[in-house]
Amino acid sequence: LEYHAAMSSDITIAANQWSKNILVGEFGVPSYRVAVFQYGLDAAGFQAKFNQGSSVFRPYGKKVIICPARLVYVKGIHVLLSALTILKQMRSDWVCWIVGDGSLRRQLEEQSIRASLQQDVFFLGEQSNVPGLLTQADIFVHTCIQDNQPFSLMEAQMAGLPSVVSTAGGLPEMVTHGYTGLLVPVGDALSTAQQLNALLGNDEYRKFLGQNAKAFAINHWSMDLMIERLLAIYNSAISQKSS
């Protein structure tokens, strides 16, 4: 189906090189029929929600780790909870907000209880203003098993947050390790805990990564840039058909 879908169009747009490699390597789509450029983000709309802030506030004396995600297996929340169980043995100056809902919520809440994380991990459910919540956060985390180009990471970078994310799918193309965030192997709870510990313990490093992430986001996730590239693709296709 992927092959026939791609071949039925003049060109297929992939959000990253990872997606293109799958289309070309696994489904046999010719490389020249796949263009790569990122999705865009409505920066003005994001900023308006960000400026609204949130009615949920950080606990006194705690840093906030935030994970906006659907509570399904592929998002790897079970890995995050395992990492936080390890992190709790290292330090106690944090809480984690898990924002979202899904079929695994009860199972994940039970995992949290078994690990005695009730005072550390909070399941906030669906929230209408995630950008507002980001104003209260210090670190974004995404321990997904697989993902393409998560919108949640784009927003976190726009908010100037450093990130700890897995190497799944297109994520390594979104985060430069040691410059805009930190990468950890898929499913590696210990590495995730260690990287979170490093950020929690070093304010300057955390701010350095966050500032770089925001500068990257402003340029890279530009909606205008996405539209410009999309129009160029259409204009090129029209020119080829008319010639």
Side-chain angles (χ1 to χ4, degrees):
L1 290 178
E2 283 81 0
Y3 173 82
H4 291 295
M7 295 301 290
S8 66
S9 61
D10 292 303
I11 196 156
T12 296
I13 296 170
N16 45 48
Q17 193 61 43
W18 172 74
S19 298
K20 178 175 181 175
N21 290 344
I22 291 175
L23 287 171
V24 173
E26 296 185 21
F27 297 105
V29 178
S31 179
Y32 69 88
R33 297 193 68 148
V34 184
V36 176
F37 59 83
Q38 79 291 339
Y39 307 146
L41 184 149
D42 178 6
F46 169 84
Q47 195 63 48
K49 288 189 173 184
F50 186 80
N51 291 341
Q52 289 176 8
S54 172
S55 59
V56 181
F57 295 99
R58 66 168 68 229
Y60 178 77
K62 303 280 188 176
K63 295 183 177 71
V64 174
I65 301 165
I66 192 168
C67 176
R70 289 180 295 116
L71 305 189
V72 295
Y73 175 79
V74 74
K75 295 299 183 180
I77 308 299
H78 60 289
V79 178
L80 173 59
L81 292 175
S82 295
L84 296 175
T85 303
I86 299 170
L87 182 64
K88 188 173 180 178
Q89 306 307 312
M90 299 175 176
R91 59 194 314 127
S92 60
D93 59 342
W94 57 272
V95 295
C96 180
W97 293 347
I98 296 176
V99 185
D101 213 337
S103 59
L104 294 185
R105 177 165 180 168
R106 178 173 294 182
Q107 180 178 322
L108 293 168
E109 288 176 332
E110 290 173 353
Q111 180 183 350
S112 177
I113 292 170
R114 289 195 302 270
S116 299
L117 293 173
Q118 300 96 311
Q119 303 304 314
D120 311 290
V121 176
F122 299 90
F123 291 83
L124 303 186
E126 294 286 355
Q127 296 286 323
S128 60
N129 187 5
V130 174
L133 285 173
L134 294 175
T135 65
Q136 298 294 310
D138 299 280
I139 300 168
F140 170 89
V141 64
H142 192 47
T143 51
C144 60
I145 307 301
Q146 193 58 277
D147 217 326
N148 183 19
Q149 185 187 295
F151 194 73
S152 60
L153 176 54
M154 296 165 65
E155 289 193 326
Q157 291 179 329
M158 285 293 293
L161 293 184
S163 55
V164 176
V165 303
S166 76
T167 53
L171 287 169
E173 297 177 52
M174 300 175 72
V175 172
T176 301
H177 183 74
Y179 187 72
T180 60
L182 299 170
L183 294 168
V184 296
V186 175
D188 192 334
L190 177 58
S191 292
T192 302
Q194 291 170 335
Q195 299 290 30
L196 288 171
N197 182 50
L199 291 184
L200 289 167
N202 191 328
D203 292 347
E204 290 303 314
Y205 188 43
R206 195 173 63 251
K207 291 175 183 176
F208 168 78
L209 295 179
Q211 289 169 354
N212 293 339
K214 184 168 186 176
F216 170 78
I218 290 171
N219 292 311
H220 195 74
W221 305 130
S222 163
M223 182 69 76
D224 290 340
L225 179 59
M226 183 195 77
I227 293 173
E228 180 182 317
R229 289 172 169 171
L230 186 60
L231 289 175
I233 291 288
Y234 281 124
N235 290 333
S236 174
I238 291 171
S239 297
Q240 291 177 14
K241 285 183 178 295
S242 60
S243 61

